[in-house]
Amino acid sequence: MTTPATQPLFDSTFLRKLDRLALLTRRAMVGDMQGERRSPRRGSSVEFADFRPYARGDDIRQIDWNLYARMERFFLKLMVAEEELTIHLLLDNTASMDWGEPNKLLYARRVAAAFGYIALSSLDRVTVTALAAGKAQQLPGVRGKRGALPLFGFLQRLPAGASGSLLDAARRYVQTARNVGPLLICSDLLDAGWKDALRALTARPFEITLIHILAPQELRPDIDGDFRLLDSEGSAAIEITADFEVLRQYDDHLRAWRAEVESFCSGRGINYIFADTSVPAEEFVLSNLRRRGVVR
């Protein structure tokens, strides 16, 4: 069901709109290289941060002579360093994501591509990691606009996996990620261990945004009669009779589950954003992410 690698994720018109956006972070984080983001470190930008007393060996060019005229003591003017962040993109590409119309995995690819492109436009570093079981698929850090083609190419070629444990993938990522920073995870959360997986990611101070992706057929199933439901990730099949009462109960459980996920995230500082794939990915990025304070 996944889209061929030859199909573009976006057209040039949408990319030009993304050029006008920037990621918002809730707290300053220290990066590795100079970029366009505020950092807790002191540096040589034009934005004032603080003063400190002069000490032997300091650069006298940093002395604030106006303050000396008032205090008759030497103080250095400290400026805010602007450094790159590492933006972490985690994509659930297990079999359950390769389903629905519009397809959930394609939707996740597009949202992640847009998020990554905005970060690259700010000279931040972007990494992508697929979460399906088996051989790890990862795009090492790319930076700047020149990183857009590798980013888009990786996402276009990313296949759907079979089964996978979100918890195992989250634990591996927490143990191996070099730097913390904003982290975007795109998943349908159709995994019994979703709570433990999200809890594992909070073990390090990532700034987590969860894009919870479901297809219209999962949100509003239009079925009637007897069915045998097959689990794409290997669990036992279930036979049901879909009638009004069964669909009503399904809707009640779905609403309760979504509320549980949102409450769980809220209690752990995770920014929860729900995505219905019937809403175009372009509209979701330009409207929903902006409204939720993820981009501006």
Side-chain angles (χ1 to χ4, degrees), residues 228-241:
R228 188 167 187 261
L229 304 182
L230 304 177
D231 187 337
S232 60
E233 297 189 18
S235 295
I238 299 175
E239 294 185 354
I240 68 165
T241 297

Side-chain angles (χ1 to χ4, degrees), residues 8 21-22 58 66 79 93 98 137 175 195 198 201 261 264 289-290:
L21 298 180
D58 285 336
N66 291 326
M79 312 306 290
N93 62 325
D98 190 22
Q137 293 182 299
Q175 292 168 359
K195 282 185 180 180
L198 295 177
L201 290 176
V261 176
F264 181 88
L289 293 189
R290 178 179 284 169

Side-chain angles (χ1 to χ4, degrees), residues 83-218:
E83 302 180 6
E84 71 168 7
L85 289 178
T86 298
I87 310 298
H88 305 262
L89 305 179
L90 304 186
L91 263 71
D92 180 356
N93 62 325
T94 54
S96 69
M97 285 288 288
D98 190 22
W99 191 85
E101 183 59 42
N103 182 273
K104 291 185 289 184
L105 182 55
L106 174 58
Y107 201 88
R109 287 195 189 110
R110 287 177 168 165
V111 171
F115 197 88
Y117 182 82
I118 296 169
L120 293 174
S121 297
S122 297
L123 303 182
D124 290 323
R125 184 176 299 277
V126 174
T127 68
V128 188
T129 301
L131 301 181
K135 184 178 179 180
Q137 293 182 299
Q138 185 173 49
L139 175 70
V142 292
R143 182 175 184 266
K145 284 289 188 69
R146 67 181 181 275
L149 286 180
L151 171 66
F152 293 165
F154 177 87
L155 291 171
Q156 285 176 300
R157 293 188 298 270
L158 181 65
S163 61
S165 165
L166 287 183
L167 175 58
D168 290 345
R171 283 174 172 168
R172 284 195 304 269
Y173 198 79
V174 166
Q175 292 168 359
T176 59
R178 178 182 171 188
N179 298 318
V180 296
L183 183 151
L184 181 81
I185 177 170
C186 298
S187 174
D188 56 12
L189 297 186
L190 296 180
D191 183 303
W194 65 266
K195 282 185 180 180
D196 290 333
L198 295 177
R199 190 180 289 113
L201 290 176
T202 64
R204 293 182 65 185
F206 294 108
E207 187 174 320
I208 303 172
T209 295
L210 167 65
I211 308 297
H212 187 193
I213 302 174
L214 293 177
Q217 296 81 12
E218 294 167 315

Side-chain angles (χ1 to χ4, degrees), residues 48-94:
F48 172 74
D50 200 356
F51 291 107
R52 73 167 174 82
Y54 173 83
R56 184 185 298 273
D58 285 336
D59 186 350
I60 63 172
R61 293 174 299 178
Q62 303 301 320
I63 293 176
D64 188 296
W65 296 105
N66 291 326
L67 187 59
Y68 172 77
R70 297 197 307 270
M71 305 288 293
E72 295 186 350
R73 293 177 59 193
F74 293 121
F75 289 89
L76 298 187
K77 182 182 291 187
L78 304 180
M79 312 306 290
V80 173
E82 294 190 353
E83 302 180 6
E84 71 168 7
L85 289 178
T86 298
I87 310 298
H88 305 262
L89 305 179
L90 304 186
L91 263 71
D92 180 356
N93 62 325
T94 54

Side-chain angles (χ1 to χ4, degrees), residues 194 212 252-266 272 274:
W194 65 266
H212 187 193
D252 289 344
H253 285 295
L254 178 63
R255 290 175 185 272
W257 176 56
R258 286 178 51 190
E260 180 186 10
V261 176
E262 184 169 13
S263 175
F264 181 88
C265 291
S266 176
Y272 173 84
F274 179 74

